[in-house]
Amino acid sequence: MSTVRKFKDFGWENVPVLAYKEGGPYKGVTRQILFEGQDTLPAQWRYFEVEPGGHSTLERHEHIHYVLILRGRGRCLVGEDISQIGEHDLIEVPTLTWHQFRADVDAPLGFLCLVSAIRDKPQLPDAEDLAALRRSPAVGEFIRP
Ligand code: MN
């Protein structure tokens, strides 16, 4: 494969646009795997795009994420923190921290996300987790379906 893959329309040459299918409830999210990593850099670098009004899965896991917003705007939940996010903002998702990304209703939200190649499966909230999250009204509003 060429060392350079040109960027066009928030896609890249020879990078297929995949369904986002980690499981769990989400809406309007695509996934592109930009780099698969190798022994000397065991990481995967992905680009996710959330359509206007869409959202990623509410989840947590032991592995961490490093995120850079590349397109659009929205909000994210990381732990109990809800933040407005836009192009070029950086977000760190710590270990075992609930997180979810939501695009604004009138803009997509596209972001680069770096993860370890060796990682645990995302956990989805059970009824008890959801009840704990909803103790904060702002978090409860954010994680609504
Ligand atoms: Mn995650």
Side-chain angles (χ1 to χ4, degrees), residues 3 9 37 42 46 52 54 64 69 81 91 106-107 124 132 135 145:
T3 55
D9 299 331
R46 302 90 51 87
I64 67 168
I69 306 302
D81 294 336
I91 300 130
D106 60 347
L124 303 180
R135 271 176 219 133

Side-chain angles (χ1 to χ4, degrees), residues 106-121:
D106 60 347
L109 181 67
F111 55 92
L112 299 167
C113 179
L114 182 66
V115 284
S116 175
I118 303 145
R119 60 185 182 274
D120 58 319
K121 270 195 170 174

